Amino acid sequence: TDLATELTELGATVHITACDTANRDQLATTLTDIPPDHPLTAVIHTAGTLDDGTLTQLTPDRLNTVFRPKVDAITHLHDLTHDNHDLTAF
């Protein structure tokens, strides 16, 4: 809220949406809802999920917990923005 307020005071238009970027359908809907007069121009992906352990200790469920928000999300972001948005940064 503080960041949105600060950006608005600086003249930016701010719209905050909750979305699981690892869920392709949710992400597609979120991207579709971006107004054409304020197009998406950059994607900064900062997934942060932690489940410490050595590789041999990670079960399939733990691997899914760690990698899903990273690998699935970045794959969906790339696929859904590559040809549909004029990005200056990814």
Side-chain angles (χ1 to χ4, degrees):
T1 303
D2 292 341
L3 178 59
T5 300
E6 182 181 346
L7 292 171
T8 300
E9 289 172 354
L10 291 170
T13 300
V14 178
H15 180 81
I16 298 172
T17 302
C19 172
D20 177 0
T21 55
N23 180 312
R24 188 181 181 94
D25 292 337
Q26 277 187 30
L27 180 58
T29 298
T30 299
L31 292 171
T32 300
D33 290 343
I34 296 173
D37 56 327
H38 295 286
L40 179 67
T41 59
V43 171
I44 301 168
H45 180 251
T46 57
T49 303
L50 184 62
D51 189 356
D52 285 342
T54 61
L55 188 57
T56 57
Q57 294 175 324
L58 294 178
T59 65
D61 285 341
R62 288 177 69 194
L63 279 171
N64 186 53
T65 298
V66 172
F67 286 118
R68 182 176 178 269
K70 297 173 181 166
V71 177
D72 289 357
I74 198 66
T75 300
H76 298 324
L77 282 164
H78 171 77
D79 291 347
L80 295 170
T81 62
H82 185 264
D83 294 325
N84 301 320
H85 297 274
D86 188 20
L87 299 180
T88 57
F90 186 92

